[in-house]
Short mmCIF file of all heavy atoms in Angstrom, two decimals:
data_model
loop_
_atom_site.label_atom_id
_atom_site.label_comp_id
_atom_site.label_asym_id
_atom_site.label_seq_id
_atom_site.Cartn_x
_atom_site.Cartn_y
_atom_site.Cartn_z
N LEU A 157 116.99 -0.01 29.37
CA LEU A 157 118.34 0.37 29.12
C LEU A 157 118.73 0.42 27.67
O LEU A 157 118.16 -0.39 26.88
CB LEU A 157 119.33 -0.65 29.84
CG LEU A 157 119.47 -0.55 31.34
CD1 LEU A 157 120.35 -1.70 31.83
CD2 LEU A 157 120.04 0.77 31.75
N ASP A 158 119.55 1.34 27.27
CA ASP A 158 120.00 1.45 25.88
C ASP A 158 120.95 0.33 25.60
O ASP A 158 122.03 0.18 26.23
CB ASP A 158 120.70 2.76 25.68
CG ASP A 158 121.00 3.10 24.22
OD1 ASP A 158 120.97 2.12 23.43
OD2 ASP A 158 121.33 4.23 23.90
N GLU A 159 120.57 -0.55 24.67
CA GLU A 159 121.43 -1.71 24.34
C GLU A 159 122.80 -1.30 23.89
O GLU A 159 123.79 -2.02 24.11
CB GLU A 159 120.73 -2.54 23.25
CG GLU A 159 121.45 -3.80 22.86
CD GLU A 159 121.49 -4.82 23.95
OE1 GLU A 159 120.63 -4.81 24.88
OE2 GLU A 159 122.38 -5.67 23.96
N ASP A 160 122.94 -0.10 23.22
CA ASP A 160 124.19 0.34 22.73
C ASP A 160 125.24 0.50 23.90
O ASP A 160 126.44 0.36 23.71
CB ASP A 160 124.07 1.66 21.95
CG ASP A 160 123.34 1.43 20.63
OD1 ASP A 160 123.30 0.28 20.18
OD2 ASP A 160 122.81 2.41 20.12
N LEU A 161 124.73 0.96 25.05
CA LEU A 161 125.64 1.15 26.18
C LEU A 161 126.21 -0.20 26.67
O LEU A 161 127.39 -0.25 27.01
CB LEU A 161 124.85 1.85 27.32
CG LEU A 161 124.31 3.24 27.03
CD1 LEU A 161 123.50 3.72 28.19
CD2 LEU A 161 125.51 4.16 26.69
N ILE A 162 125.39 -1.23 26.71
CA ILE A 162 125.87 -2.58 27.13
C ILE A 162 126.86 -3.09 26.07
O ILE A 162 127.89 -3.63 26.42
CB ILE A 162 124.70 -3.48 27.34
CG1 ILE A 162 123.61 -2.91 28.22
CG2 ILE A 162 125.15 -4.87 27.74
CD1 ILE A 162 124.12 -2.74 29.65
N LEU A 163 126.52 -2.87 24.82
CA LEU A 163 127.41 -3.40 23.75
C LEU A 163 128.72 -2.60 23.75
O LEU A 163 129.75 -3.22 23.48
CB LEU A 163 126.73 -3.21 22.36
CG LEU A 163 125.48 -4.13 22.16
CD1 LEU A 163 124.80 -3.78 20.76
CD2 LEU A 163 125.86 -5.60 22.19
N ALA A 164 128.66 -1.33 24.06
CA ALA A 164 129.89 -0.56 24.11
C ALA A 164 130.83 -1.04 25.22
O ALA A 164 131.99 -1.16 25.02
CB ALA A 164 129.57 0.92 24.35
N ALA A 165 130.23 -1.37 26.36
CA ALA A 165 131.01 -1.93 27.50
C ALA A 165 131.62 -3.22 27.09
O ALA A 165 132.79 -3.53 27.41
CB ALA A 165 130.15 -2.07 28.71
N ARG A 166 130.84 -4.09 26.41
CA ARG A 166 131.39 -5.37 25.97
C ARG A 166 132.52 -5.17 24.97
O ARG A 166 133.52 -5.94 24.99
CB ARG A 166 130.24 -6.22 25.37
CG ARG A 166 129.11 -6.57 26.32
CD ARG A 166 129.56 -7.40 27.51
NE ARG A 166 130.21 -8.63 27.07
CZ ARG A 166 129.57 -9.70 26.72
NH1 ARG A 166 128.25 -9.74 26.82
NH2 ARG A 166 130.23 -10.83 26.34
N THR A 167 132.33 -4.22 24.05
CA THR A 167 133.38 -3.94 23.06
C THR A 167 134.66 -3.49 23.70
O THR A 167 135.78 -3.81 23.24
CB THR A 167 132.86 -2.84 22.09
OG1 THR A 167 131.67 -3.32 21.46
CG2 THR A 167 133.86 -2.61 21.01
N LEU A 168 134.57 -2.78 24.83
CA LEU A 168 135.75 -2.27 25.51
C LEU A 168 136.38 -3.32 26.42
O LEU A 168 137.33 -3.03 27.12
CB LEU A 168 135.36 -1.06 26.32
CG LEU A 168 134.94 0.19 25.52
CD1 LEU A 168 134.45 1.29 26.46
CD2 LEU A 168 136.12 0.68 24.74
N GLY A 169 135.87 -4.53 26.38
CA GLY A 169 136.45 -5.64 27.07
C GLY A 169 135.79 -6.07 28.35
O GLY A 169 136.26 -6.96 29.05
N ALA A 170 134.70 -5.44 28.71
CA ALA A 170 133.98 -5.83 29.90
C ALA A 170 133.16 -7.12 29.69
O ALA A 170 132.47 -7.26 28.65
CB ALA A 170 133.04 -4.72 30.34
N GLY A 171 133.26 -8.04 30.63
CA GLY A 171 132.51 -9.25 30.52
C GLY A 171 131.09 -9.02 30.89
O GLY A 171 130.71 -7.90 31.30
N PRO A 172 130.17 -10.01 30.77
CA PRO A 172 128.76 -9.86 31.10
C PRO A 172 128.53 -9.38 32.56
O PRO A 172 127.76 -8.52 32.82
CB PRO A 172 128.16 -11.23 30.85
CG PRO A 172 129.13 -11.88 29.88
CD PRO A 172 130.48 -11.42 30.20
N GLY A 173 129.36 -9.96 33.45
CA GLY A 173 129.16 -9.64 34.88
C GLY A 173 129.59 -8.24 35.15
O GLY A 173 128.96 -7.45 35.85
N ARG A 174 130.73 -7.81 34.54
CA ARG A 174 131.24 -6.44 34.74
C ARG A 174 130.30 -5.43 34.14
O ARG A 174 130.05 -4.34 34.71
CB ARG A 174 132.62 -6.34 34.12
CG ARG A 174 133.32 -5.01 34.47
CD ARG A 174 134.78 -5.00 33.92
NE ARG A 174 135.42 -3.71 34.18
CZ ARG A 174 136.02 -3.41 35.34
NH1 ARG A 174 135.94 -4.28 36.34
NH2 ARG A 174 136.59 -2.30 35.53
N ALA A 175 129.70 -5.71 32.95
CA ALA A 175 128.77 -4.81 32.31
C ALA A 175 127.52 -4.65 33.16
O ALA A 175 126.95 -3.57 33.27
CB ALA A 175 128.38 -5.30 30.92
N PHE A 176 127.14 -5.73 33.81
CA PHE A 176 126.01 -5.67 34.73
C PHE A 176 126.27 -4.79 35.93
O PHE A 176 125.42 -3.88 36.25
CB PHE A 176 125.62 -7.12 35.19
CG PHE A 176 124.64 -7.17 36.34
CD1 PHE A 176 123.35 -6.89 36.07
CD2 PHE A 176 125.04 -7.55 37.63
CE1 PHE A 176 122.36 -6.98 37.10
CE2 PHE A 176 124.10 -7.59 38.64
CZ PHE A 176 122.78 -7.36 38.36
N TRP A 177 127.41 -4.98 36.57
CA TRP A 177 127.72 -4.20 37.77
C TRP A 177 128.05 -2.75 37.55
O TRP A 177 127.69 -1.86 38.21
CB TRP A 177 128.93 -4.83 38.51
CG TRP A 177 128.56 -6.06 39.29
CD1 TRP A 177 128.84 -7.36 38.96
CD2 TRP A 177 127.83 -6.16 40.53
NE1 TRP A 177 128.32 -8.22 39.86
CE2 TRP A 177 127.70 -7.52 40.83
CE3 TRP A 177 127.25 -5.18 41.33
CZ2 TRP A 177 127.03 -7.95 41.98
CZ3 TRP A 177 126.61 -5.65 42.48
CH2 TRP A 177 126.51 -6.96 42.80
N ARG A 178 128.78 -2.50 36.41
CA ARG A 178 129.30 -1.15 36.17
C ARG A 178 128.44 -0.28 35.25
O ARG A 178 128.50 0.96 35.34
CB ARG A 178 130.72 -1.23 35.54
CG ARG A 178 131.78 -1.92 36.37
CD ARG A 178 131.99 -1.20 37.66
NE ARG A 178 132.48 0.18 37.44
CZ ARG A 178 133.77 0.42 37.33
NH1 ARG A 178 134.73 -0.52 37.41
NH2 ARG A 178 134.17 1.69 37.09
N ILE A 179 127.58 -0.93 34.47
CA ILE A 179 126.69 -0.15 33.55
C ILE A 179 125.21 -0.31 33.90
O ILE A 179 124.53 0.64 34.14
CB ILE A 179 126.95 -0.57 32.11
CG1 ILE A 179 128.46 -0.41 31.69
CG2 ILE A 179 126.07 0.24 31.16
CD1 ILE A 179 128.90 1.00 31.80
N ALA A 180 124.79 -1.58 33.84
CA ALA A 180 123.32 -1.79 34.02
C ALA A 180 122.80 -1.39 35.37
O ALA A 180 121.76 -0.67 35.47
CB ALA A 180 123.03 -3.27 33.77
N LEU A 181 123.47 -1.80 36.42
CA LEU A 181 123.00 -1.44 37.77
C LEU A 181 122.97 0.08 38.07
O LEU A 181 121.96 0.62 38.53
CB LEU A 181 123.84 -2.16 38.84
CG LEU A 181 123.38 -3.54 39.25
CD1 LEU A 181 124.29 -4.10 40.36
CD2 LEU A 181 121.94 -3.57 39.69
N PRO A 182 124.10 0.81 37.83
CA PRO A 182 124.03 2.23 38.05
C PRO A 182 123.03 3.00 37.27
O PRO A 182 122.35 3.86 37.81
CB PRO A 182 125.51 2.70 37.67
CG PRO A 182 126.32 1.46 37.79
CD PRO A 182 125.44 0.31 37.42
N LEU A 183 122.85 2.61 35.98
CA LEU A 183 121.89 3.30 35.13
C LEU A 183 120.46 2.97 35.43
O LEU A 183 119.54 3.74 35.11
CB LEU A 183 122.15 3.02 33.63
CG LEU A 183 123.52 3.58 33.10
CD1 LEU A 183 123.68 3.22 31.63
CD2 LEU A 183 123.55 5.15 33.27
N SER A 184 120.25 1.81 36.07
CA SER A 184 118.91 1.41 36.47
C SER A 184 118.59 1.76 37.94
O SER A 184 117.58 1.32 38.48
CB SER A 184 118.67 -0.10 36.24
OG SER A 184 118.99 -0.43 34.91
N ALA A 185 119.48 2.45 38.62
CA ALA A 185 119.38 2.65 40.05
C ALA A 185 118.07 3.30 40.44
O ALA A 185 117.42 2.96 41.46
CB ALA A 185 120.57 3.48 40.57
N SER A 186 117.65 4.31 39.65
CA SER A 186 116.38 4.99 39.97
C SER A 186 115.19 4.05 40.00
O SER A 186 114.38 4.03 40.96
CB SER A 186 116.14 6.14 39.04
OG SER A 186 117.13 7.16 39.08
N GLY A 187 115.08 3.29 38.95
CA GLY A 187 113.91 2.35 38.84
C GLY A 187 113.98 1.24 39.87
O GLY A 187 113.01 0.84 40.48
N LEU A 188 115.22 0.76 40.16
CA LEU A 188 115.41 -0.27 41.13
C LEU A 188 115.03 0.16 42.54
O LEU A 188 114.44 -0.51 43.34
CB LEU A 188 116.83 -0.79 41.10
CG LEU A 188 117.27 -1.49 39.82
CD1 LEU A 188 118.75 -1.95 39.97
CD2 LEU A 188 116.36 -2.72 39.52
N SER A 189 115.41 1.42 42.82
CA SER A 189 115.19 2.01 44.12
C SER A 189 113.65 2.21 44.30
O SER A 189 113.14 2.00 45.41
CB SER A 189 115.89 3.37 44.31
OG SER A 189 117.27 3.17 44.24
N ALA A 190 112.95 2.71 43.27
CA ALA A 190 111.54 2.85 43.36
C ALA A 190 110.84 1.52 43.58
O ALA A 190 109.96 1.46 44.42
CB ALA A 190 111.03 3.49 42.06
N GLY A 191 111.25 0.50 42.92
CA GLY A 191 110.74 -0.82 43.13
C GLY A 191 111.03 -1.34 44.51
O GLY A 191 110.17 -1.96 45.13
N ALA A 192 112.18 -1.06 45.01
CA ALA A 192 112.55 -1.53 46.31
C ALA A 192 111.68 -0.82 47.39
O ALA A 192 111.28 -1.47 48.38
CB ALA A 192 114.06 -1.20 46.57
N ALA A 193 111.43 0.45 47.17
CA ALA A 193 110.56 1.21 48.11
C ALA A 193 109.19 0.64 48.14
O ALA A 193 108.60 0.41 49.24
CB ALA A 193 110.53 2.72 47.74
N LEU A 194 108.60 0.36 46.96
CA LEU A 194 107.28 -0.21 46.95
C LEU A 194 107.24 -1.60 47.62
O LEU A 194 106.31 -1.91 48.33
CB LEU A 194 106.81 -0.39 45.48
CG LEU A 194 106.44 0.90 44.75
CD1 LEU A 194 106.18 0.62 43.27
CD2 LEU A 194 105.22 1.56 45.34
N SER A 195 108.23 -2.42 47.36
CA SER A 195 108.30 -3.72 47.87
C SER A 195 108.42 -3.72 49.37
O SER A 195 107.74 -4.47 50.07
CB SER A 195 109.53 -4.51 47.29
OG SER A 195 109.61 -5.81 47.86
N LEU A 196 109.30 -2.89 49.88
CA LEU A 196 109.53 -2.81 51.35
C LEU A 196 108.24 -2.28 52.06
O LEU A 196 107.85 -2.81 53.11
CB LEU A 196 110.72 -1.93 51.68
CG LEU A 196 111.14 -1.86 53.17
CD1 LEU A 196 111.41 -3.24 53.69
CD2 LEU A 196 112.35 -0.92 53.27
N ALA A 197 107.62 -1.25 51.47
CA ALA A 197 106.39 -0.71 52.11
C ALA A 197 105.30 -1.73 52.09
O ALA A 197 104.57 -1.83 53.04
CB ALA A 197 105.97 0.54 51.34
N ARG A 198 105.21 -2.49 51.00
CA ARG A 198 104.18 -3.50 50.88
C ARG A 198 104.45 -4.63 51.89
O ARG A 198 103.53 -5.19 52.52
CB ARG A 198 104.15 -4.09 49.50
CG ARG A 198 103.18 -5.31 49.30
CD ARG A 198 101.71 -4.82 49.48
NE ARG A 198 100.77 -5.91 49.38
CZ ARG A 198 100.45 -6.74 50.35
NH1 ARG A 198 100.93 -6.54 51.57
NH2 ARG A 198 99.55 -7.71 50.15
#
Side-chain angles (χ1 to χ4, degrees):
L157 284 176
D158 189 344
E159 182 66 24
D160 290 340
L161 297 176
I162 307 296
L163 292 176
R166 299 296 304 277
T167 302
L168 293 172
R174 188 175 179 81
F176 169 71
W177 283 106
R178 299 298 299 272
I179 303 298
L181 272 183
L183 294 180
S184 304
S186 296
L188 296 179
S189 298
L194 288 174
S195 178
L196 186 55
R198 177 64 182 86

